[in-house]
Amino acid sequence: MAFLFQKFQEAVKVLAKSPTFARDPRSLQFEADINRLFLFTSYYRLGKDAAEADADEIIDMATKASLADQQKQVQENIHSQIKTFCENMDDILLCTLQNSVEPNESSPEKNTPHRSGLSLAVGRTASLNNHPDIPETNPLTRTEVSRKLKDLKGYTLDIKPSQVPHNDAGQGLILNGEADVGSVIAFYPGVIYSPAYYQYIPGYPRVDAQNSYLITRYDGTVINAQPWGFGGESREIWKGYSVSESKPNFEVAEKGSDKIWKILSKPLDGGGASGMKGDLLERRNPLALGHFANHPGKNMTPNVMVCPYDFPLTEKSMRTYIPNISFGNGDEVNMKRLGSFWFKSWKSGNGGSYDIPVLKSLILVATRAICDEEILLNYRLSNSKRRRPSWYIPVDEEEDRRRWS
């Protein structure tokens, strides 16, 4: 299997430098990333007993398949893993409940009010509303759920002091166990903002001034993980405002283009709770910690990469384990980009097929085998910024340039 992985690694290096994929640098980098994800996730799906011929076929497909076909295959590969993860979580949190027996009619406990698993999980002093949409789950803490997931899956995630050698590294994301290349390592949790709702991101327009937990997909979707924090100790209706929203503070002179920019940048009213209806989410999800992955330090290399994952909302049994909610009314707004601005793009309602509704999320995928070590992600900070953080050491300047061209 190590020999086959070496072949995949060589294919990744060659294909990433191919000039035939796209016309512009940004599209080139996107297609190179999808190509890598296609190889890595397909490698994982082959399994440990794969034949060399199977690996050769996948590498050949990576050189010939269209971008659309590769994207589709990546989605299927990832969805297959996430489905297994959701089944594992059901086994942990619902299995014994389904097999439990109701107390006998003559039992002295019959007339005693029963505390649900949810109330046990959040503690004796917590007030629990009997919300009909919140099913009972096993009374396990987040730590206990994490431990059981490792038993089933082979790995889980911990938050511990980072090994990256700079003062701002803080806490790091540690993989506890073993994961193979192409494995889904973590979800990037939080609130999802389409370009139509950029002005509702806390702190807009300087959204990253006091929030380092923002990430952007190639399609312009932004995910804010700050409200998610470390997760929680229950299954709950989560509305995405666990952390108070900061208000923008404009200190620029109102003249010329500055005045126009202030008007364009003014956060829209009603951007708090009214913008998010909330969804039933499992806050004890042990893999919903992707926002704690640090950028590698000097002489360190990334071991994961981001992967866009469009979760189909038709998979209702899996929804509670996807740690994201969309900002807005849930309807997808079509946007058109002009320069650095996004505008609403109206479509004719005459005919046409409707796609399956999806949640535009991000996950972290292993780019090599990982064993009991810190998860490191290439942040790819824009090199157009006047000042990058002092700790930022580019992994590949050319990739950064293409990503933000």
Side-chain angles (χ1 to χ4, degrees), residues 27 79 85 91 98 101 108 134 209 214 219 250 263 305 330 332 341 403:
S27 297
H79 187 73
F85 163 75
D91 288 343
Q98 294 169 351
V101 179
I134 303 179
L214 294 168
D219 61 7
F250 295 100
I263 295 171
M305 65 182 294
E332 183 64 24
F341 291 96
R403 170 65 177 89

Side-chain angles (χ1 to χ4, degrees), residues 82-98:
I82 290 180
K83 185 175 182 179
T84 300
F85 163 75
C86 293
E87 291 170 352
N88 290 338
M89 291 293 286
D90 277 348
D91 288 343
I92 294 168
L93 291 167
L94 303 180
C95 187
T96 56
L97 285 173
Q98 294 169 351

Side-chain angles (χ1 to χ4, degrees), residues 273-285:
S274 62
M276 293 170 281
K277 60 181 178 60
D279 282 306
L280 178 64
L281 300 185
E282 181 51 71
R283 298 269 281 154
R284 290 168 289 182
N285 184 340

Side-chain angles (χ1 to χ4, degrees), residues 34-69:
I34 292 298
N35 196 253
R36 291 174 183 173
L37 289 165
F38 174 81
L39 288 168
F40 289 142
T41 60
S42 297
Y43 174 85
Y44 177 90
R45 203 163 185 179
L46 279 178
K48 296 183 177 180
D49 298 325
E52 184 176 352
D54 295 329
D56 288 336
E57 183 178 358
I58 288 177
I59 293 173
D60 185 57
M61 288 173 59
T63 64
K64 299 176 180 178
S66 67
L67 174 64
D69 287 342

Side-chain angles (χ1 to χ4, degrees), residues 126-329:
S127 60
L128 174 66
N129 295 324
N130 294 320
H131 199 294
D133 294 333
I134 303 179
E136 186 177 10
T137 59
N138 288 325
L140 300 172
T141 65
R142 184 162 53 93
T143 300
E144 290 171 330
V145 173
S146 183
R147 189 181 304 123
K148 289 180 177 293
L149 180 66
K150 183 185 177 184
D151 292 339
L152 291 174
K153 194 173 181 62
Y155 62 89
T156 189
L157 297 174
D158 296 327
I159 303 297
K160 295 180 180 179
S162 176
Q163 298 301 306
V164 177
H166 64 76
N167 294 334
D168 295 330
Q171 298 294 306
L173 184 63
I174 312 299
L175 185 128
N176 181 354
E178 297 183 24
D180 204 354
V181 62
S183 300
V184 170
I185 299 300
F187 296 88
Y188 202 95
V191 182
I192 300 170
Y193 295 86
S194 71
Y197 296 109
Y198 278 175
Q199 288 177 296
Y200 290 109
I201 301 176
Y204 183 88
R206 300 177 180 88
V207 294
D208 59 346
Q210 295 185 12
N211 184 359
S212 58
Y213 298 112
L214 294 168
I215 196 167
T216 308
R217 295 186 8 154
Y218 275 97
D219 61 7
T221 302
V222 173
I223 303 177
N224 178 17
Q226 192 175 58
W228 184 266
F230 291 89
E233 295 290 344
S234 66
R235 180 171 294 193
E236 63 185 61
I237 302 295
W238 191 67
K239 295 188 176 182
Y241 47 82
S242 298
V243 176
S244 60
E245 295 183 356
S246 59
K247 299 295 182 182
N249 180 24
F250 295 100
E251 297 179 352
V252 295
E254 288 190 20
K255 51 185 179 181
S257 60
D258 285 342
K259 184 175 181 178
I260 297 173
W261 177 244
K262 177 177 178 180
I263 295 171
L264 289 173
S265 302
K266 183 180 179 182
L268 301 177
D269 294 331
S274 62
M276 293 170 281
K277 60 181 178 60
D279 282 306
L280 178 64
L281 300 185
E282 181 51 71
R283 298 269 281 154
R284 290 168 289 182
N285 184 340
L287 301 189
L289 297 169
H291 52 308
F292 285 103
N294 275 322
H295 182 80
K298 188 176 182 180
N299 298 323
M300 304 173 81
T301 56
N303 49 23
V304 297
M305 65 182 294
V306 294
C307 174
Y309 171 56
D310 294 342
F311 172 74
L313 290 170
T314 50
E315 297 276 12
K316 297 187 184 300
S317 63
M318 298 166 59
R319 175 65 184 99
T320 191
Y321 300 119
I322 310 301
N324 301 97
I325 60 171
S326 291
F327 187 96
N329 57 15

